[in-house]
Amino acid sequence: MAFIPKPGIPSYTTAKAFRPISLTSFLLKGMEKLVDCFLRDGPLASIPVHPRQHAYQPGWSTISALHQLVGRIEKALDAKQYALGVFFDVEGAFDNTSPTAVRVSKRKTSS
């Protein structure tokens, strides 16, 4: 992995000032396809997924998951009930990493 400085940044003291460049995305895409084939031909072939599971279901996607969620919220609102949702969003994982942590990690993976 290499870290390329972003142009026009006044200070390069934070991880946000660099762009990570790596060939691992190519390897990960290959691994993703292998795991997908394993899951589809193995466990998912013999153990059905939950009816509300949208992944690995023909014709279902993130769009159908959002549609189902909005439908449940609208149903609760129409019935004058409460609707509670909990969402996780891991934002800026790289941006919030300290340069020291990046250097330490790079040293560990290089050796």
Side-chain angles (χ1 to χ4, degrees), residues 58-69:
W60 289 33
S61 65
T62 53
I63 301 297
S64 62
L66 287 170
H67 180 71
Q68 184 183 52
L69 173 65

Side-chain angles (χ1 to χ4, degrees), residues 46-64:
S46 58
I47 304 169
V49 295
H50 191 276
R52 290 193 191 135
Q53 172 72 30
H54 288 258
Y56 297 104
Q57 298 271 36
W60 289 33
S61 65
T62 53
I63 301 297
S64 62

Side-chain angles (χ1 to χ4, degrees), residues 25-107:
S25 61
F26 169 77
L27 296 172
L28 291 175
K29 286 290 182 188
M31 182 64 80
E32 179 183 3
K33 290 199 180 290
L34 289 172
V35 170
D36 182 63
C37 287
F38 169 78
L39 289 174
R40 288 182 189 276
D41 297 341
L44 292 176
S46 58
I47 304 169
V49 295
H50 191 276
R52 290 193 191 135
Q53 172 72 30
H54 288 258
Y56 297 104
Q57 298 271 36
W60 289 33
S61 65
T62 53
I63 301 297
S64 62
L66 287 170
H67 180 71
Q68 184 183 52
L69 173 65
V70 169
R72 292 179 74 153
I73 292 170
E74 287 175 341
K75 185 178 175 183
L77 292 174
D78 288 344
K80 306 284 189 235
Q81 296 175 335
Y82 294 103
L84 174 67
V86 178
F87 303 90
F88 284 99
D89 182 17
V90 180
E91 185 179 325
F94 178 75
D95 295 346
N96 295 312
T97 304
S98 72
T100 305
V102 172
R103 281 192 297 273
V104 168
S105 178
K106 185 161 173 49
R107 280 189 205 117

Side-chain angles (χ1 to χ4, degrees), residues 4-19 95 99:
I4 309 298
K6 292 180 181 177
I9 303 294
S11 171
Y12 293 100
T13 57
T14 64
K16 196 176 198 176
F18 295 88
R19 183 174 287 116
D95 295 346

